[in-house]
Amino acid sequence: MCRVVDLRQAVLAKNDEAAQVLRTELTARGTTVVNLLSSPGSGKTALLERELLLARERGVAVAALTADLATENDALRLARSGVPVKQVLTDGLCHLEAAMLGRHLDGWLPGDTRLLFVENVGNLVCPAGYDLGESLRVVLASVTEGEDKPLKYPTAFGLAQLVLVTKTDIARAVEFDEAAFRANVEQVNPGVEIVLTSARAGEGLGVLLDRALEVGAGGGAHAPVMARQQHAHPHAHAYAHGHSHGHGHDHDDEHDHGRDEDHDHDHDGEHEHPHVQTAAQTR
């Protein structure tokens, strides 16, 4: 057990170092990274497409990178906004890592990009533990997922700097209890902003873009208590990021248990579409 914990701490520490380097480099060139995390089917892609369209209308230079285990479907949807989009196929890997992201941005990301939205793999377990060099971490949850989602995934919600509730146009139909959801988020992440959104009805549209621009302009993002605790107790890093093996895992989210080694062995296969590049991350 100790060896497993030590290995995970080493992997996460290496990722944190790469993330800080990437954050420094991108910030220096005026690019703010927004890391979007959610369960599969949360409506993340639909909302992001609307935000990208709005950014283009406002003349904000944005780009999007989306990660999936397979298919280019999300990238093709996002490309309809007309902004630069790149698809990363992880080939079974349940999350992105900072070094991986950096390689995929190299030579692709336009130099004038103010905001880069990273749509992480649909999963609230593995991605929660990996800093991607983002300046704003956003967690999304749909009204169909249950008010107790923040309590089931305390690391994902506990490290969020912004929480978006999606699909609010059907909230009444599914009897979503907004007050209970807010209370549960507050329990794991006191003070974080919670925004109600609907890609279909337009509720909350533009808030994600506004918050990202505010952070890029030097505005302070929310500082989660959990993040401060991790900084104060670095040896608890592996468990704080949701990787403890002493408890059962939630199998609603896809995750891979044999991937503790470094994932630098990247072989890109590019497929060109209008505004889309696809990179396959293979074993």
Side-chain angles (χ1 to χ4, degrees):
M1 170 65 93
C2 290
R3 185 176 183 277
V4 171
V5 172
D6 289 344
L7 179 58
R8 290 190 181 280
Q9 288 178 343
V11 169
L12 290 169
K14 183 176 181 179
N15 180 81
D16 287 348
E17 292 175 3
Q20 187 55 48
V21 170
L22 184 59
R23 183 182 295 107
T24 299
E25 292 176 349
L26 290 173
T27 300
R29 58 179 275 179
T31 300
T32 300
V33 177
V34 181
N35 185 7
L36 303 173
L37 293 82
S38 78
S39 300
S42 67
K44 181 166 72 265
T45 306
L47 181 64
L48 181 55
E49 184 180 359
R50 294 291 303 273
E51 295 286 342
L52 294 177
L53 282 167
L54 182 60
R56 191 178 181 194
E57 291 173 5
R58 292 185 183 179
V60 179
V62 298
L65 181 146
T66 181
D68 277 304
L69 278 68
T71 82
E72 303 171 24
N73 295 346
D74 287 353
L76 292 173
R77 288 175 60 187
L78 295 178
R80 295 185 303 204
S81 65
V83 309
V85 174
K86 187 172 188 178
Q87 176 78 58
V88 175
L89 301 181
T90 65
D91 190 33
L93 186 62
C94 61
H95 59 273
L96 288 173
E97 297 178 8
M100 183 193 308
L101 176 62
R103 288 194 302 274
H104 287 306
L105 297 182
D106 188 28
W108 168 73
L109 187 66
D112 64 344
T113 303
R114 288 182 61 188
L115 300 177
L116 170 64
F117 290 95
V118 178
E119 184 180 11
N120 219 315
V121 179
N123 181 344
L124 284 176
V125 182
C126 303
Y130 287 84
D131 183 357
L132 298 183
E134 70 264 20
S135 295
L136 181 64
R137 176 176 289 213
V138 182
V139 172
L140 301 88
S142 72
V143 297
T144 62
E145 294 178 59
E147 296 81 2
D148 61 348
K149 201 78 171 185
L151 303 182
K152 289 184 174 181
Y153 299 92
T155 301
F157 284 88
L159 291 175
Q161 294 167 299
L162 176 65
V163 175
L164 302 182
V165 179
T166 61
K167 304 184 181 181
T168 57
D169 52 296
I170 60 171
R172 180 175 297 180
V174 299
E175 299 182 344
F176 175 66
D177 188 336
E178 180 186 340
F181 180 84
R182 287 182 178 275
N184 290 335
V185 172
E186 182 69 15
Q187 184 173 328
V188 298
N189 193 346
V192 69
E193 183 180 12
I194 302 170
V195 179
L196 304 181
T197 71
S198 169
R200 178 176 296 177
E203 181 178 9
L205 183 63
V207 174
L208 174 58
L209 178 60
D210 289 342
R211 296 296 179 270
L213 289 171
E214 289 168 7
V215 170
H222 170 68
V225 172
M226 184 177 292
R228 298 197 296 270
Q229 291 172 340
Q230 287 180 2
H231 181 72
H233 304 285
H235 295 295
H237 190 80
Y239 289 109
H241 282 92
H243 292 289
S244 170
H245 289 275
H247 306 281
H249 295 279
D250 187 300
H251 295 284
D252 291 338
D253 292 307
E254 265 189 270
H255 51 289
D256 186 301
H257 295 286
R259 297 284 188 141
D260 294 333
E261 69 278 4
D262 184 46
H263 302 285
D264 288 344
H265 46 292
D266 173 64
H267 303 284
D268 289 352
E270 302 289 348
H271 303 282
E272 295 289 346
H273 298 281
H275 305 292
V276 179
Q277 284 186 304
T278 304
Q281 171 75 18
T282 58
R283 292 181 176 85

